[in-house]
Amino acid sequence: MNTRREFIKKMGACSTSLMLPGILFPFTSFYGNRGTSNWVTTEINTGKIRGIRNDGVSVFIGIPYAGKVSGNRRFRKPGVMSAWTGIRDTYELEAPAIQGPRRGEPTPAEDCLFLNVWTPANDGKKRPVMFYSHGGGFVIGSGGSAGQDGSNLARNFDVVVVETNHRLGMLGFMYLDEVAGSEYVGSGNMGLLDIVEGLKWVHENIHVFGGDPNNVMIFGESGGGAKTSCLYAMPDAAPYFNKASIESGPGVRMLTKDMAAQNTEYVLQEFGLTNKTWRKLLDIPTDEILKVQAKVPFTPPYQGKSTNQKAADPTPVGFGPVVDGIALPYHPFDPIAPDISKDKPLMVGWNEDEFTFFMWERRDTEFPTLDFDGLKVRLESQFGEDTPKIIETYRDSLPNASPADIYIAVSSITMIGLGSVEIAQRKLEQGGAPVYLYNFGYKSEVKIPGTDYAMGTPHAMDISFKFNNEIPPKEGEPDRPSFFGGGRPERFQASHNMAALWTSFAKNGRPLVKELPEWPAYSLSNKATMRIDAQCEIIKNRYAKELEMWTEIGRLNE
Protein backbone atom coordinates (compact mmCIF):
# COMPACT_ATOMS: atom_id res chain seq x y z
CA MET A 1 0.00 0.00 0.00
CA ASN A 2 1.29 3.47 -0.81
CA THR A 3 1.94 5.86 2.05
CA ARG A 4 0.45 9.34 2.14
CA ARG A 5 3.90 10.68 1.36
CA GLU A 6 4.02 8.60 -1.82
CA PHE A 7 0.54 9.78 -2.81
CA ILE A 8 1.46 13.44 -2.45
CA LYS A 9 4.80 12.88 -4.15
CA LYS A 10 3.01 11.37 -7.13
CA MET A 11 0.68 14.32 -7.36
CA GLY A 12 3.55 16.76 -7.05
CA ALA A 13 5.60 14.99 -9.69
CA CYS A 14 2.81 15.04 -12.24
CA SER A 15 2.03 18.64 -11.39
CA THR A 16 5.50 20.09 -11.81
CA SER A 17 5.35 20.54 -15.56
CA LEU A 18 2.05 22.40 -15.30
CA MET A 19 2.74 24.48 -12.19
CA LEU A 20 3.98 27.52 -14.08
CA PRO A 21 4.05 30.84 -12.25
CA GLY A 22 1.71 32.53 -14.66
CA ILE A 23 -0.78 29.76 -14.07
CA LEU A 24 -0.41 29.36 -10.34
CA PHE A 25 -0.63 33.10 -9.69
CA PRO A 26 -2.04 34.62 -12.87
CA PHE A 27 -1.54 38.25 -11.99
CA THR A 28 0.66 41.10 -13.11
CA SER A 29 3.12 43.01 -10.98
CA PHE A 30 1.68 45.20 -8.29
CA TYR A 31 4.01 48.00 -7.36
CA GLY A 32 1.57 50.71 -8.28
CA ASN A 33 0.95 53.55 -10.68
CA ARG A 34 3.80 55.98 -10.17
CA GLY A 35 1.95 58.67 -12.06
CA THR A 36 -0.61 59.04 -9.27
CA SER A 37 1.77 58.32 -6.40
CA ASN A 38 4.13 60.25 -4.21
CA TRP A 39 7.68 59.36 -3.34
CA VAL A 40 8.48 58.45 0.26
CA THR A 41 12.01 58.16 1.63
CA THR A 42 13.29 56.47 4.76
CA GLU A 43 16.59 55.12 6.08
CA ILE A 44 17.39 51.53 7.06
CA ASN A 45 20.62 50.15 8.49
CA THR A 46 22.32 49.93 5.08
CA GLY A 47 21.27 53.31 3.65
CA LYS A 48 18.41 55.45 2.43
CA ILE A 49 15.65 54.00 0.28
CA ARG A 50 12.84 55.54 -1.75
CA GLY A 51 9.45 53.91 -2.21
CA ILE A 52 5.98 54.98 -3.29
CA ARG A 53 3.04 56.25 -1.27
CA ASN A 54 -0.23 55.48 -2.98
CA ASP A 55 -3.79 55.54 -1.65
CA GLY A 56 -2.79 55.56 2.01
CA VAL A 57 -0.05 52.92 1.82
CA SER A 58 3.71 53.29 1.59
CA VAL A 59 5.22 50.55 -0.55
CA PHE A 60 8.90 49.61 -0.69
CA ILE A 61 9.63 46.93 -3.27
CA GLY A 62 12.92 45.15 -3.92
CA ILE A 63 14.86 45.98 -0.74
CA PRO A 64 18.04 43.89 -0.44
CA TYR A 65 18.05 42.13 2.92
CA ALA A 66 21.18 39.99 2.68
CA GLY A 67 24.31 39.72 0.57
CA LYS A 68 25.59 37.67 -2.33
CA VAL A 69 24.55 34.02 -2.77
CA SER A 70 26.14 33.39 -6.18
CA GLY A 71 29.67 32.36 -7.15
CA ASN A 72 31.64 31.20 -4.15
CA ARG A 73 28.58 31.85 -1.94
CA ARG A 74 26.47 29.27 -3.80
CA PHE A 75 25.04 26.71 -1.33
CA ARG A 76 26.34 28.83 1.57
CA LYS A 77 24.97 31.49 3.87
CA PRO A 78 24.75 34.93 2.21
CA GLY A 79 27.70 37.24 2.09
CA VAL A 80 27.82 40.44 4.14
CA MET A 81 25.37 43.13 3.05
CA SER A 82 27.09 46.25 1.76
CA ALA A 83 25.82 49.70 2.64
CA TRP A 84 25.25 52.24 -0.11
CA THR A 85 25.52 55.99 -0.44
CA GLY A 86 22.78 58.21 -1.78
CA ILE A 87 19.20 57.00 -2.11
CA ARG A 88 18.34 53.56 -3.46
CA ASP A 89 15.08 53.31 -5.40
CA THR A 90 12.86 50.53 -4.07
CA TYR A 91 9.64 50.80 -6.06
CA GLU A 92 10.05 47.98 -8.60
CA LEU A 93 10.32 44.25 -8.18
CA GLU A 94 13.75 42.68 -8.07
CA ALA A 95 14.76 39.21 -9.25
CA PRO A 96 13.01 36.14 -7.86
CA ALA A 97 14.96 32.95 -7.21
CA ILE A 98 16.18 30.80 -10.09
CA GLN A 99 13.19 29.16 -11.84
CA GLY A 100 11.35 29.52 -15.13
CA PRO A 101 10.23 33.00 -16.28
CA ARG A 102 7.48 34.64 -14.20
CA ARG A 103 4.75 36.78 -15.71
CA GLY A 104 5.16 40.46 -14.88
CA GLU A 105 8.36 39.94 -12.88
CA PRO A 106 12.07 40.42 -13.59
CA THR A 107 14.23 37.60 -14.93
CA PRO A 108 15.01 35.13 -12.13
CA ALA A 109 18.56 35.38 -10.81
CA GLU A 110 20.81 33.62 -8.37
CA ASP A 111 21.26 36.75 -6.27
CA CYS A 112 17.62 37.05 -5.27
CA LEU A 113 17.56 38.11 -1.62
CA PHE A 114 15.11 41.00 -1.79
CA LEU A 115 11.97 41.75 0.18
CA ASN A 116 8.87 43.92 -0.12
CA VAL A 117 7.21 46.03 2.58
CA TRP A 118 3.72 47.56 2.76
CA THR A 119 2.94 49.93 5.62
CA PRO A 120 0.20 52.45 6.48
CA ALA A 121 2.95 54.96 7.34
CA ASN A 122 6.59 55.35 8.31
CA ASP A 123 5.50 57.07 11.49
CA GLY A 124 7.19 55.28 14.37
CA LYS A 125 4.08 53.46 15.54
CA LYS A 126 4.31 49.84 16.69
CA ARG A 127 2.01 47.95 14.36
CA PRO A 128 1.96 44.15 14.16
CA VAL A 129 4.13 42.73 11.41
CA MET A 130 2.81 40.00 9.11
CA PHE A 131 5.75 38.16 7.52
CA TYR A 132 4.63 35.95 4.62
CA SER A 133 6.46 33.06 2.91
CA HIS A 134 5.20 32.41 -0.61
CA GLY A 135 3.95 29.11 -1.99
CA GLY A 136 5.04 27.15 -5.04
CA GLY A 137 6.42 24.15 -3.20
CA PHE A 138 10.16 24.58 -2.76
CA VAL A 139 11.00 25.24 -6.42
CA ILE A 140 8.95 28.19 -7.71
CA GLY A 141 7.28 31.37 -6.49
CA SER A 142 8.23 34.81 -5.22
CA GLY A 143 7.28 37.59 -2.86
CA GLY A 144 6.12 39.51 -5.92
CA SER A 145 2.94 37.64 -6.90
CA ALA A 146 0.11 40.14 -7.18
CA GLY A 147 -2.48 37.94 -5.48
CA GLN A 148 -0.48 38.43 -2.28
CA ASP A 149 -0.12 42.21 -2.62
CA GLY A 150 -0.09 43.50 0.96
CA SER A 151 -1.61 46.93 0.26
CA ASN A 152 -5.15 46.14 1.38
CA LEU A 153 -4.06 44.40 4.57
CA ALA A 154 -1.91 47.40 5.47
CA ARG A 155 -4.55 49.97 4.49
CA ASN A 156 -7.68 48.32 5.86
CA PHE A 157 -6.32 46.63 8.99
CA ASP A 158 -3.38 48.80 10.13
CA VAL A 159 -0.60 46.21 9.89
CA VAL A 160 2.81 46.05 8.23
CA VAL A 161 3.28 43.29 5.63
CA VAL A 162 6.64 41.82 4.57
CA GLU A 163 7.39 39.21 1.89
CA THR A 164 10.75 37.80 0.78
CA ASN A 165 12.33 36.22 -2.21
CA HIS A 166 14.62 33.38 -1.09
CA ARG A 167 16.58 30.58 -2.70
CA LEU A 168 14.61 27.64 -4.08
CA GLY A 169 15.17 24.21 -5.57
CA MET A 170 18.65 22.81 -5.84
CA LEU A 171 20.26 26.15 -4.97
CA GLY A 172 18.18 26.45 -1.82
CA PHE A 173 18.04 22.86 -0.58
CA MET A 174 21.07 20.93 -1.92
CA TYR A 175 22.45 18.90 1.00
CA LEU A 176 26.25 19.10 0.85
CA ASP A 177 27.06 18.82 4.55
CA GLU A 178 28.52 15.32 4.15
CA VAL A 179 30.72 16.08 1.12
CA ALA A 180 31.69 19.76 1.23
CA GLY A 181 33.06 20.52 4.70
CA SER A 182 32.27 22.93 7.49
CA GLU A 183 31.68 25.99 5.28
CA TYR A 184 28.61 24.25 3.87
CA VAL A 185 26.96 23.15 7.09
CA GLY A 186 23.25 23.88 6.75
CA SER A 187 23.42 23.76 2.94
CA GLY A 188 20.27 21.63 2.78
CA ASN A 189 18.28 24.44 4.39
CA MET A 190 19.69 27.57 2.75
CA GLY A 191 16.25 28.53 1.44
CA LEU A 192 14.95 28.54 5.01
CA LEU A 193 18.03 30.27 6.39
CA ASP A 194 17.49 33.02 3.81
CA ILE A 195 14.04 33.56 5.30
CA VAL A 196 15.66 33.74 8.73
CA GLU A 197 17.89 36.51 7.37
CA GLY A 198 14.71 38.28 6.30
CA LEU A 199 13.33 37.94 9.83
CA LYS A 200 16.58 39.36 11.24
CA TRP A 201 16.26 42.28 8.83
CA VAL A 202 12.73 42.88 10.11
CA HIS A 203 13.96 42.84 13.70
CA GLU A 204 16.58 45.47 12.91
CA ASN A 205 14.65 47.70 10.50
CA ILE A 206 10.89 47.34 10.71
CA HIS A 207 10.54 50.12 13.30
CA VAL A 208 11.26 52.70 10.60
CA PHE A 209 8.23 51.36 8.70
CA GLY A 210 5.90 51.75 11.66
CA GLY A 211 6.18 48.08 12.64
CA ASP A 212 6.82 46.44 16.00
CA PRO A 213 9.86 44.11 15.88
CA ASN A 214 8.54 42.39 19.00
CA ASN A 215 5.16 41.50 17.47
CA VAL A 216 5.84 39.46 14.33
CA MET A 217 3.55 36.82 12.85
CA ILE A 218 4.97 34.37 10.31
CA PHE A 219 2.53 32.79 7.87
CA GLY A 220 2.47 31.07 4.51
CA GLU A 221 0.40 28.95 2.13
CA SER A 222 1.22 25.57 0.54
CA GLY A 223 5.03 25.42 0.28
CA GLY A 224 4.97 28.62 2.34
CA GLY A 225 3.00 26.76 4.99
CA ALA A 226 5.66 24.06 5.06
CA LYS A 227 8.37 26.72 5.32
CA THR A 228 6.43 28.28 8.21
CA SER A 229 6.21 24.85 9.88
CA CYS A 230 10.00 24.60 9.67
CA LEU A 231 10.62 28.14 10.91
CA TYR A 232 8.41 27.31 13.90
CA ALA A 233 10.97 24.59 14.79
CA MET A 234 14.24 26.39 13.94
CA PRO A 235 16.50 27.81 16.68
CA ASP A 236 17.86 30.49 14.34
CA ALA A 237 14.33 31.80 13.67
CA ALA A 238 12.97 31.59 17.21
CA PRO A 239 14.06 35.03 18.47
CA TYR A 240 12.41 36.86 15.59
CA PHE A 241 8.72 35.92 15.61
CA ASN A 242 5.90 35.58 18.12
CA LYS A 243 3.12 33.57 16.43
CA ALA A 244 2.50 31.60 13.25
CA SER A 245 -0.15 30.44 10.78
CA ILE A 246 0.30 27.31 8.63
CA GLU A 247 -2.04 27.36 5.63
CA SER A 248 -2.61 24.39 3.29
CA GLY A 249 0.96 23.24 3.79
CA PRO A 250 1.26 21.18 6.98
CA GLY A 251 4.97 20.52 7.44
CA VAL A 252 4.72 17.66 9.92
CA ARG A 253 7.84 15.92 8.65
CA MET A 254 10.61 16.94 6.26
CA LEU A 255 13.37 15.13 4.38
CA THR A 256 15.81 13.06 6.39
CA LYS A 257 19.56 13.33 5.82
CA ASP A 258 19.50 9.99 4.01
CA MET A 259 16.82 11.18 1.64
CA ALA A 260 18.65 14.46 1.01
CA ALA A 261 21.96 12.63 0.44
CA GLN A 262 20.13 10.54 -2.15
CA ASN A 263 19.26 13.74 -4.03
CA THR A 264 22.90 14.87 -3.84
CA GLU A 265 24.17 11.56 -5.18
CA TYR A 266 21.76 11.80 -8.10
CA VAL A 267 22.76 15.39 -8.95
CA LEU A 268 26.46 14.61 -8.85
CA GLN A 269 25.93 11.65 -11.18
CA GLU A 270 23.88 13.79 -13.59
CA PHE A 271 26.71 16.31 -13.84
CA GLY A 272 29.40 13.61 -14.07
CA LEU A 273 30.86 14.54 -10.69
CA THR A 274 31.88 12.65 -7.56
CA ASN A 275 32.18 13.50 -3.88
CA LYS A 276 35.76 14.56 -4.60
CA THR A 277 34.90 16.84 -7.52
CA TRP A 278 31.69 18.33 -6.09
CA ARG A 279 33.18 21.84 -6.10
CA LYS A 280 32.59 22.06 -9.85
CA LEU A 281 28.92 22.55 -8.92
CA LEU A 282 29.85 26.14 -8.08
CA ASP A 283 30.56 26.87 -11.75
CA ILE A 284 27.63 25.15 -13.44
CA PRO A 285 25.31 27.68 -15.17
CA THR A 286 21.89 28.06 -13.66
CA ASP A 287 20.11 26.96 -16.83
CA GLU A 288 21.92 23.61 -16.57
CA ILE A 289 20.95 23.39 -12.92
CA LEU A 290 17.30 23.89 -13.86
CA LYS A 291 17.50 21.12 -16.46
CA VAL A 292 18.68 18.61 -13.88
CA GLN A 293 16.30 19.94 -11.24
CA ALA A 294 13.40 19.34 -13.64
CA LYS A 295 14.22 15.60 -13.57
CA VAL A 296 13.73 15.48 -9.81
CA PRO A 297 10.23 14.99 -8.32
CA PHE A 298 8.31 17.92 -6.87
CA THR A 299 8.63 17.66 -3.07
CA PRO A 300 5.30 17.86 -1.19
CA PRO A 301 4.85 20.04 1.90
CA TYR A 302 5.47 17.10 4.23
CA GLN A 303 6.72 13.52 4.27
CA GLY A 304 5.42 10.24 5.63
CA LYS A 305 7.30 8.33 8.29
CA SER A 306 9.30 6.21 5.86
CA THR A 307 12.79 7.54 6.45
CA ASN A 308 15.07 5.35 4.38
CA GLN A 309 14.01 5.17 0.76
CA LYS A 310 17.47 4.52 -0.61
CA ALA A 311 17.59 0.74 -0.29
CA ALA A 312 14.22 0.24 -1.95
CA ASP A 313 14.22 3.13 -4.39
CA PRO A 314 17.43 4.79 -5.66
CA THR A 315 15.65 7.66 -7.39
CA PRO A 316 15.80 11.18 -5.90
CA VAL A 317 12.97 12.34 -3.68
CA GLY A 318 13.06 16.04 -4.48
CA PHE A 319 14.49 19.22 -2.99
CA GLY A 320 13.09 20.58 0.25
CA PRO A 321 14.00 21.28 3.89
CA VAL A 322 16.26 18.72 5.54
CA VAL A 323 16.19 17.55 9.15
CA ASP A 324 19.95 18.02 9.45
CA GLY A 325 20.17 18.19 13.25
CA ILE A 326 21.52 21.74 13.09
CA ALA A 327 19.50 24.31 11.16
CA LEU A 328 16.40 22.11 11.44
CA PRO A 329 17.11 19.90 14.47
CA TYR A 330 13.96 17.76 14.33
CA HIS A 331 10.89 17.12 12.23
CA PRO A 332 8.68 20.18 12.87
CA PHE A 333 5.74 18.27 14.38
CA ASP A 334 6.88 14.66 14.73
CA PRO A 335 6.77 13.10 17.24
CA ILE A 336 5.87 16.29 19.14
CA ALA A 337 5.36 19.99 18.53
CA PRO A 338 8.62 21.96 18.78
CA ASP A 339 9.43 22.92 22.35
CA ILE A 340 11.25 26.00 21.08
CA SER A 341 7.86 27.51 20.11
CA LYS A 342 5.81 26.14 22.98
CA ASP A 343 4.63 29.60 24.03
CA LYS A 344 3.85 30.86 20.51
CA PRO A 345 0.18 30.76 19.38
CA LEU A 346 -0.54 28.87 16.18
CA MET A 347 -3.25 28.79 13.51
CA VAL A 348 -3.44 25.86 11.08
CA GLY A 349 -5.95 24.73 8.49
CA TRP A 350 -6.87 24.02 4.90
CA ASN A 351 -9.33 24.70 2.10
CA GLU A 352 -12.33 22.43 1.82
CA ASP A 353 -11.81 21.50 -1.84
CA GLU A 354 -8.01 21.64 -2.13
CA PHE A 355 -7.89 18.95 -4.79
CA THR A 356 -9.95 20.70 -7.45
CA PHE A 357 -6.87 22.87 -8.04
CA PHE A 358 -4.86 19.79 -8.98
CA MET A 359 -7.62 18.47 -11.21
CA TRP A 360 -7.63 21.83 -12.99
CA GLU A 361 -3.84 21.83 -13.16
CA ARG A 362 -3.72 18.30 -14.59
CA ARG A 363 -6.56 19.10 -17.02
CA ASP A 364 -8.46 16.12 -15.65
CA THR A 365 -11.92 16.41 -17.17
CA GLU A 366 -12.91 12.79 -16.51
CA PHE A 367 -13.23 12.74 -12.71
CA PRO A 368 -16.64 14.55 -12.69
CA THR A 369 -18.12 11.61 -14.66
CA LEU A 370 -17.01 8.94 -12.17
CA ASP A 371 -19.52 6.39 -10.94
CA PHE A 372 -18.86 4.48 -7.73
CA ASP A 373 -17.07 1.67 -9.56
CA GLY A 374 -14.79 4.23 -11.17
CA LEU A 375 -14.25 5.92 -7.82
CA LYS A 376 -13.18 2.59 -6.33
CA VAL A 377 -10.67 2.07 -9.12
CA ARG A 378 -9.18 5.55 -8.63
CA LEU A 379 -8.86 5.24 -4.88
CA GLU A 380 -7.51 1.70 -4.90
CA SER A 381 -4.29 2.88 -6.51
CA GLN A 382 -3.66 4.97 -3.39
CA PHE A 383 -5.41 3.13 -0.58
CA GLY A 384 -5.51 -0.51 -1.63
CA GLU A 385 -7.58 -2.76 0.60
CA ASP A 386 -8.78 0.19 2.70
CA THR A 387 -10.72 1.63 -0.25
CA PRO A 388 -14.13 0.04 0.50
CA LYS A 389 -14.04 1.30 4.09
CA ILE A 390 -13.11 4.80 2.91
CA ILE A 391 -15.96 4.93 0.38
CA GLU A 392 -18.44 3.50 2.90
CA THR A 393 -17.46 6.13 5.48
CA TYR A 394 -17.81 9.03 3.07
CA ARG A 395 -21.11 7.79 1.63
CA ASP A 396 -22.42 7.65 5.17
CA SER A 397 -21.11 11.12 6.10
CA LEU A 398 -22.05 12.74 2.77
CA PRO A 399 -25.21 10.92 1.65
CA ASN A 400 -25.94 13.40 -1.15
CA ALA A 401 -22.39 13.49 -2.50
CA SER A 402 -21.58 12.29 -6.00
CA PRO A 403 -18.61 9.96 -6.61
CA ALA A 404 -16.70 13.02 -7.86
CA ASP A 405 -17.53 14.90 -4.67
CA ILE A 406 -16.23 12.01 -2.57
CA TYR A 407 -13.09 11.78 -4.69
CA ILE A 408 -12.36 15.47 -4.08
CA ALA A 409 -13.18 15.22 -0.37
CA VAL A 410 -10.95 12.17 0.17
CA SER A 411 -8.09 13.59 -1.88
CA SER A 412 -8.28 17.01 -0.22
CA ILE A 413 -8.19 15.73 3.34
CA THR A 414 -5.42 13.21 2.71
CA MET A 415 -3.28 15.68 0.82
CA ILE A 416 -3.60 18.58 3.28
CA GLY A 417 -6.25 18.10 5.95
CA LEU A 418 -4.85 15.15 7.92
CA GLY A 419 -1.49 16.86 8.35
CA SER A 420 -3.23 20.01 9.54
CA VAL A 421 -5.22 18.05 12.14
CA GLU A 422 -2.05 16.26 13.19
CA ILE A 423 -0.33 19.61 13.81
CA ALA A 424 -3.30 20.85 15.86
CA GLN A 425 -3.24 17.67 17.93
CA ARG A 426 0.50 17.85 18.55
CA LYS A 427 0.33 21.52 19.51
CA LEU A 428 -2.55 20.81 21.89
CA GLU A 429 -0.68 17.89 23.49
CA GLN A 430 2.22 20.23 24.20
CA GLY A 431 0.15 22.21 26.68
CA GLY A 432 1.58 25.63 25.80
CA ALA A 433 0.11 28.46 23.74
CA PRO A 434 -3.24 27.84 22.03
CA VAL A 435 -3.76 26.42 18.56
CA TYR A 436 -6.69 27.40 16.31
CA LEU A 437 -7.95 25.08 13.56
CA TYR A 438 -9.80 26.39 10.49
CA ASN A 439 -11.37 25.39 7.18
CA PHE A 440 -11.73 27.94 4.40
CA GLY A 441 -15.04 27.18 2.72
CA TYR A 442 -16.22 29.99 0.42
CA LYS A 443 -17.43 28.32 -2.79
CA SER A 444 -16.35 29.66 -6.15
CA GLU A 445 -18.71 29.11 -9.05
CA VAL A 446 -15.81 29.01 -11.55
CA LYS A 447 -15.90 25.73 -13.46
CA ILE A 448 -12.90 23.51 -14.09
CA PRO A 449 -12.32 24.03 -17.83
CA GLY A 450 -13.93 21.35 -19.94
CA THR A 451 -16.35 20.35 -17.17
CA ASP A 452 -19.45 21.56 -15.35
CA TYR A 453 -17.73 20.92 -12.01
CA ALA A 454 -17.21 24.03 -9.88
CA MET A 455 -13.84 24.73 -8.30
CA GLY A 456 -15.42 25.23 -4.88
CA THR A 457 -12.60 26.15 -2.51
CA PRO A 458 -9.44 25.02 -4.33
CA HIS A 459 -5.86 25.06 -3.19
CA ALA A 460 -4.37 28.58 -3.33
CA MET A 461 -7.74 30.38 -3.52
CA ASP A 462 -7.28 31.58 0.07
CA ILE A 463 -4.33 33.77 -0.88
CA SER A 464 -6.28 36.64 -2.41
CA PHE A 465 -8.95 36.29 0.30
CA LYS A 466 -6.69 36.52 3.34
CA PHE A 467 -4.79 39.42 1.77
CA ASN A 468 -8.16 41.17 1.38
CA ASN A 469 -7.63 41.41 -2.36
CA GLU A 470 -11.22 40.36 -3.08
CA ILE A 471 -12.79 43.80 -2.60
CA PRO A 472 -15.68 45.69 -4.22
CA PRO A 473 -14.75 47.83 -7.24
CA LYS A 474 -14.48 51.55 -6.84
CA GLU A 475 -17.49 53.60 -7.87
CA GLY A 476 -17.84 53.68 -11.64
CA GLU A 477 -15.54 50.70 -12.19
CA PRO A 478 -16.75 47.24 -13.25
CA ASP A 479 -16.40 44.23 -10.98
CA ARG A 480 -13.67 41.98 -12.35
CA PRO A 481 -14.16 38.34 -11.35
CA SER A 482 -11.06 36.79 -9.82
CA PHE A 483 -9.29 33.83 -11.37
CA PHE A 484 -10.35 31.28 -8.75
CA GLY A 485 -12.73 33.26 -6.54
CA GLY A 486 -15.25 33.95 -9.28
CA GLY A 487 -17.62 36.89 -9.52
CA ARG A 488 -20.23 36.53 -6.79
CA PRO A 489 -20.35 39.60 -4.53
CA GLU A 490 -20.40 37.38 -1.42
CA ARG A 491 -16.69 36.86 -1.94
CA PHE A 492 -16.02 40.39 -0.69
CA GLN A 493 -17.44 39.56 2.74
CA ALA A 494 -15.60 36.25 2.88
CA SER A 495 -12.35 38.03 2.08
CA HIS A 496 -13.00 40.68 4.72
CA ASN A 497 -13.75 37.99 7.29
CA MET A 498 -10.59 36.04 6.59
CA ALA A 499 -8.37 39.13 6.56
CA ALA A 500 -9.96 40.37 9.80
CA LEU A 501 -9.28 37.05 11.54
CA TRP A 502 -5.68 36.91 10.33
CA THR A 503 -4.88 40.48 11.32
CA SER A 504 -6.56 40.04 14.70
CA PHE A 505 -4.31 37.05 15.31
CA ALA A 506 -1.31 39.12 14.20
CA LYS A 507 -2.21 41.85 16.66
CA ASN A 508 -3.15 39.83 19.73
CA GLY A 509 -2.36 36.15 19.21
CA ARG A 510 -6.12 35.47 19.18
CA PRO A 511 -8.24 35.38 15.98
CA LEU A 512 -11.22 37.19 17.47
CA VAL A 513 -13.36 39.62 15.47
CA LYS A 514 -16.31 41.40 17.07
CA GLU A 515 -18.86 40.75 14.33
CA LEU A 516 -17.88 37.06 13.86
CA PRO A 517 -18.53 34.01 16.04
CA GLU A 518 -16.02 33.66 18.86
CA TRP A 519 -13.30 31.26 17.72
CA PRO A 520 -12.30 29.00 20.62
CA ALA A 521 -8.90 27.38 20.78
CA TYR A 522 -8.76 23.75 19.71
CA SER A 523 -9.24 21.40 22.66
CA LEU A 524 -10.09 17.78 23.38
CA SER A 525 -13.53 18.81 24.58
CA ASN A 526 -14.54 20.85 21.55
CA LYS A 527 -12.17 20.05 18.66
CA ALA A 528 -13.42 23.37 17.34
CA THR A 529 -12.97 24.39 13.71
CA MET A 530 -13.71 27.85 12.35
CA ARG A 531 -15.35 27.51 8.94
CA ILE A 532 -14.53 30.73 7.08
CA ASP A 533 -17.04 31.99 4.54
CA ALA A 534 -19.23 35.03 3.94
CA GLN A 535 -21.03 33.71 7.03
CA CYS A 536 -18.54 32.12 9.41
CA GLU A 537 -19.44 29.38 11.87
CA ILE A 538 -17.81 27.28 14.57
CA ILE A 539 -18.12 23.54 13.99
CA LYS A 540 -17.23 21.21 16.85
CA ASN A 541 -15.58 17.88 16.12
CA ARG A 542 -15.85 18.40 12.38
CA TYR A 543 -15.19 15.34 10.20
CA ALA A 544 -15.51 13.14 13.31
CA LYS A 545 -16.49 9.95 11.42
CA GLU A 546 -13.92 10.53 8.72
CA LEU A 547 -11.07 11.24 11.13
CA GLU A 548 -11.95 8.19 13.21
CA MET A 549 -11.75 6.08 10.06
CA TRP A 550 -8.45 7.64 8.93
CA THR A 551 -7.02 6.92 12.37
CA GLU A 552 -8.24 3.31 12.33
CA ILE A 553 -6.56 2.58 8.99
CA GLY A 554 -3.35 4.31 10.05
CA ARG A 555 -3.49 7.39 7.84
CA LEU A 556 -3.81 9.97 10.61
CA ASN A 557 -0.67 10.18 12.77
CA GLU A 558 0.85 7.52 10.53
Side-chain angles (χ1 to χ4, degrees), residues 12 16 19 21 97-100 102 134-142 166-171 173 223 227 290 293-294 296-299 318-320:
T16 304
M19 193 175 270
I98 289 296
Q99 59 194 284
R102 295 183 59 80
H134 66 74
F138 305 109
V139 296
I140 63 171
S142 82
H166 42 269
R167 281 175 283 182
L168 301 169
M170 189 189 304
L171 294 173
F173 299 99
K227 295 166 194 172
L290 285 178
Q293 182 176 299
V296 176
F298 184 93
T299 302
F319 295 106

Side-chain angles (χ1 to χ4, degrees), residues 493 496-497 500 513-517:
Q493 185 62 51
H496 176 86
N497 291 344
V513 177
K514 184 177 181 180
E515 61 269 22
L516 299 180

Side-chain angles (χ1 to χ4, degrees), residues 96-393:
I98 289 296
Q99 59 194 284
R102 295 183 59 80
R103 182 183 301 177
E105 296 187 35
T107 301
E110 197 162 351
D111 286 314
C112 61
L113 303 189
F114 302 95
L115 57 75
N116 309 320
V117 178
W118 295 260
T119 179
N122 299 71
D123 55 8
K125 288 186 178 180
K126 291 188 175 182
R127 298 177 177 86
V129 180
M130 300 181 70
F131 185 101
Y132 186 74
S133 292
H134 66 74
F138 305 109
V139 296
I140 63 171
S142 82
S145 295
Q148 63 201 39
D149 181 339
S151 296
N152 287 330
L153 275 185
R155 178 186 302 110
N156 299 332
F157 295 94
D158 200 34
V159 296
V160 178
V161 182
V162 181
E163 301 174 16
T164 68
N165 294 345
H166 42 269
R167 281 175 283 182
L168 301 169
M170 189 189 304
L171 294 173
F173 299 99
M174 176 81 161
Y175 180 65
L176 293 170
D177 293 34
E178 297 175 11
V179 300
S182 60
E183 288 185 340
Y184 292 85
V185 169
S187 55
N189 289 303
M190 282 300 138
L192 293 176
L193 292 170
D194 290 346
I195 301 173
V196 172
E197 290 297 316
L199 285 168
K200 290 179 181 177
W201 184 95
V202 164
H203 190 74
E204 295 169 0
N205 294 285
I206 207 65
H207 64 281
V208 305
F209 299 90
D212 184 353
N214 297 311
N215 190 11
V216 177
M217 169 186 170
I218 57 173
F219 67 128
E221 181 271 344
S222 192
K227 295 166 194 172
T228 302
S229 302
C230 292
L231 293 169
Y232 200 72
M234 291 176 65
D236 285 355
Y240 304 115
F241 72 94
N242 311 91
K243 64 210 74 166
S245 176
I246 298 167
E247 302 143 15
S248 297
V252 178
R253 290 168 286 273
M254 292 292 137
L255 302 180
T256 65
K257 289 191 287 187
D258 286 345
M259 296 165 77
Q262 192 169 307
N263 290 331
T264 303
E265 181 179 347
Y266 175 82
V267 168
L268 291 175
Q269 290 177 353
E270 284 291 305
F271 286 123
L273 304 176
T274 67
N275 286 1
K276 293 183 178 180
T277 60
W278 71 268
R279 193 171 289 274
K280 292 183 179 180
L281 288 172
L282 303 182
D283 300 319
I284 293 175
T286 55
D287 59 344
E288 295 300 315
I289 284 176
L290 285 178
K291 288 179 183 178
V292 170
Q293 182 176 299
K295 300 178 182 180
V296 176
F298 184 93
T299 302
Y302 65 102
Q303 305 294 316
K305 283 194 174 180
S306 299
T307 57
N308 188 355
Q309 304 293 315
K310 190 169 184 177
D313 183 0
T315 60
V317 295
F319 295 106
V322 182
V323 182
D324 61 5
I326 301 171
L328 184 58
Y330 312 102
H331 292 290
F333 288 92
D334 183 46
I336 60 174
D339 186 67
I340 199 168
S341 292
K342 180 177 181 179
D343 297 326
K344 297 179 180 181
L346 179 67
M347 293 198 309
V348 61
W350 74 99
N351 299 352
E352 288 179 349
D353 308 304
E354 297 273 0
F355 210 69
T356 56
F357 172 93
F358 300 95
M359 295 295 90
W360 161 76
E361 186 188 44
R362 294 175 64 191
R363 299 181 175 90
D364 186 337
T365 59
E366 295 182 1
F367 86 91
T369 66
L370 287 173
D371 57 19
F372 281 102
D373 288 336
L375 173 65
K376 183 173 181 290
V377 170
R378 281 215 179 195
L379 295 183
E380 276 181 336
S381 65
Q382 307 301 332
F383 303 109
E385 63 185 12
D386 292 322
T387 298
K389 186 176 183 65
I390 294 169
I391 294 175
E392 178 186 357
T393 300

Side-chain angles (χ1 to χ4, degrees), residues 3-9 259 300 302-304 309 558:
T3 66
R4 187 164 81 243
R5 183 198 64 80
E6 290 167 336
F7 167 53
I8 301 172
K9 178 179 172 183
M259 296 165 77
Y302 65 102
Q303 305 294 316
Q309 304 293 315
E558 68 168 354

